[in-house]
Amino acid sequence: MEKIILTGDRPTGKLHLGHYVGSLRRRVELQESGAFDKIFVMIADAQALTDNADNPEKVRQNIIEVALDYLSCGLDPAKTTIFIQSQIPELCELAFYYMNLVTVQRLQRNPTVKAEIQMRGFSDNADDETQQRRGTPVGFFTYPISQASDITAFRATTVPVGEDQEPMIEQTREIVHKFNSVYGPTLVEPEIMLPDNAACLRLPGTDGKAKMSKSLGNCIYLSDSADDVKKKVMSMFTDPDHLRVEDPGKVEGNTVFTYLDAFCRPEHMEKYAPDYATLDDMKAHYRRGGLGDVKVKRLLIAVLNETLEPIRERRRYYEQRIEEVYEMLRKGSELARESASATLADVRRAMRIDYFGDAELIAEQAARYRAGE
Ligand code: TRP
């Protein structure tokens, strides 16, 4: 069986370091590994619209931001098909059929959707509808089903995503099982691929909060300048009890060290902190006391800027070629559509709703009526 990757991002803002360590870096490695027959990366604008119906302009403007971030990180359109979700109408049709295979109750149990409904303040009290609070848009509530269409349309075997997406992959697998058992083997069951390092699984924000998120204003963006990065790192949270340099410090839960875990490689230590053989040696010094926060932050700034510089450079290149970027997205969408439409044809055949192509159905009914049954 072909090994196929599908993954994507909602275009609701520029991508940040959380996206980078959680998925983008891995995607580029997978692309370069040659271990996959096909790789699809989708800009999920239709999914973004499920809770931005009143703000399509935001989604529209962020498509190019996400595309630029992809290209700057090293996704290569010659090896990876980059496309826009809404340009593949087959995805809607698949979702419409899958809706019959999922219960409202099952969707209500999806922990990510639950948390997101809460976070967005959607109300489940019908009376609130007429007051201020909005209820949950049906499209938003059902986006896990649409995501199952995204994944299965491309026959993805592997879905590299963050852990918050685990319930979506689980739900997709259930839909695949159900579909295949009702209509016969048709769809491919995907597997999730999670980041392999705990710091990458969920990179905290610069304020130490659980997650980097635009609404919390605690992000370092891939497109931030070296100066922005310096300022943001300098204001980062460390260990609140590490008041004087001599005091012993805590490494666990210390955001600066968490970022180092996610970004620092042995060659960085050699180059920027040659007093220590490894990051662990530096952590040991910090724990003992005698190592100031500023020194650790300087290392992090150097590491981040070294990581981001080639990304910024490619971004500058593509920013001068916006028309070409759109052309790349158009071609990618065209190619993606071919795959999705082949899967949709299989689905229709399996569900036996391919009436006009079904000579047997027509002949059998014609014969029955002619015989006057
Ligand atoms: N839900 C994903 C996110 O918010 C984006 C997404 C949409 C996706 N469709 C997908 C990810 C299919 C993986 C596979 O980041």
Side-chain angles (χ1 to χ4, degrees):
M1 192 172 59
E2 278 190 308
K3 290 179 72 182
I4 299 175
I5 286 181
L6 176 109
T7 185
D9 302 277
R10 295 181 196 178
T12 51
K14 294 186 284 192
L15 301 182
H16 52 60
L17 293 184
H19 294 113
Y20 184 72
V21 296
S23 61
L24 289 171
R25 183 169 63 184
R26 183 58 134 352
R27 286 181 206 169
V28 176
E29 284 166 16
L30 293 168
Q31 169 189 276
E32 297 309 322
S33 76
F36 289 86
D37 299 292
K38 288 183 197 151
I39 303 182
F40 294 96
V41 175
M42 178 179 80
I43 302 180
D45 63 333
Q47 188 175 106
L49 286 167
T50 62
D51 66 331
N52 283 289
D54 52 354
N55 202 355
E57 193 54 26
K58 171 170 113 185
V59 174
R60 183 179 154 86
Q61 293 300 334
N62 277 304
I63 286 178
I64 192 71
E65 294 301 329
V66 172
L68 287 170
D69 285 331
Y70 285 168
L71 295 167
S72 340
C73 283
L75 285 183
D76 174 357
K79 299 175 185 158
T80 294
T81 304
I82 305 174
F83 69 98
I84 305 178
Q85 186 182 28
S86 63
Q87 303 308 298
I88 320 295
E90 285 77 6
L91 298 175
C92 301
E93 188 173 332
L94 285 176
F96 197 68
Y97 302 139
Y98 296 168
M99 283 194 184
N100 306 328
L101 307 176
V102 181
T103 65
V104 170
Q105 290 71 21
R106 174 63 183 88
L107 274 177
Q108 276 167 336
R109 275 189 278 117
N110 185 308
T112 298
V113 176
K114 249 170 138 168
E116 286 174 329
I117 286 175
Q118 189 115 67
M119 214 162 64
R120 285 161 176 74
F122 293 141
S123 170
D124 51 13
N125 180 350
D127 290 342
D128 282 355
E129 283 270 1
T130 50
Q131 318 281 319
Q132 260 84 45
R133 296 222 291 159
R134 280 199 304 147
T136 310
V138 173
F140 183 81
F141 177 63
T142 56
Y143 91 74
I145 302 178
S146 130
Q147 196 157 333
S149 313
D150 303 337
I151 294 169
T152 54
F154 301 97
R155 304 176 208 274
T157 49
T158 312
V159 186
V161 281
E163 64 176 343
D164 62 318
Q165 296 297 304
E166 219 162 354
M168 309 305 161
I169 314 304
E170 199 41 50
Q171 193 128 41
T172 302
R173 291 163 62 90
E174 285 176 30
I175 290 173
V176 169
H177 273 161
K178 185 88 197 231
F179 190 100
N180 288 348
S181 70
V182 175
Y183 303 115
T186 312
L187 302 174
V188 176
E189 198 178 312
E191 264 169 54
I192 191 168
M193 182 188 258
L194 290 168
D196 41 20
N197 153 336
C200 299
L201 213 51
R202 178 161 297 179
L203 193 74
T206 50
D207 55 358
K209 292 229 174 79
K211 204 177 163 180
M212 215 176 246
S213 128
K214 194 171 50 145
S215 50
L216 296 173
N218 60 5
C219 301
I220 297 179
Y221 293 99
L222 292 170
S223 49
D224 276 352
S225 69
D227 213 43
D228 293 333
V229 169
K230 186 171 165 197
K231 282 196 198 111
K232 289 182 181 180
V233 171
M234 278 303 174
S235 72
M236 260 164 87
F237 283 44
T238 55
D239 170 6
D241 299 324
H242 186 241
L243 297 174
R244 291 167 308 169
V245 173
E246 316 82 86
D247 292 339
K250 264 209 289 297
V251 166
E252 286 69 35
N254 183 323
T255 315
V256 179
F257 279 104
T258 309
Y259 279 39
L260 283 170
D261 283 334
F263 287 93
C264 189
R265 293 193 309 265
E267 60 269 29
H268 290 137
M269 292 307 288
E270 213 175 299
K271 202 157 150 195
Y272 301 116
D275 299 348
Y276 304 96
T278 63
L279 180 58
D280 280 340
D281 285 351
M282 189 183 209
K283 287 181 182 170
H285 189 184
Y286 191 83
R287 285 200 184 92
R288 276 198 307 277
L291 173 56
D293 284 337
V294 170
K295 248 185 128 175
V296 189
K297 286 183 170 178
R298 288 234 170 85
L299 170 63
L300 179 59
I301 293 167
V303 169
L304 288 182
N305 279 330
E306 180 175 321
T307 308
L308 290 176
E309 196 39 48
I311 298 177
R312 292 183 192 120
E313 200 178 312
R314 274 192 295 264
R315 199 177 219 278
R316 284 192 290 271
Y317 174 90
Y318 287 111
E319 280 173 350
Q320 299 311 311
R321 290 164 178 79
I322 298 298
E323 298 88 347
E324 286 171 41
V325 176
Y326 270 104
E327 182 55 19
M328 177 279 292
L329 290 171
R330 195 186 60 74
K331 285 198 186 124
S333 302
E334 217 169 80
L335 196 64
R337 197 169 174 192
E338 284 172 24
S339 291
S341 118
T343 304
L344 180 61
D346 289 351
V347 161
R348 286 170 164 234
R349 209 173 307 116
M351 293 176 68
R352 314 208 55 184
I353 55 174
D354 56 338
Y355 313 111
F356 305 133
D358 190 345
E360 216 175 289
L361 169 81
I362 300 168
E364 187 260 327
Q365 290 182 343
R368 198 147 41 86
Y369 276 102
R370 268 191 211 104
E373 277 173 34

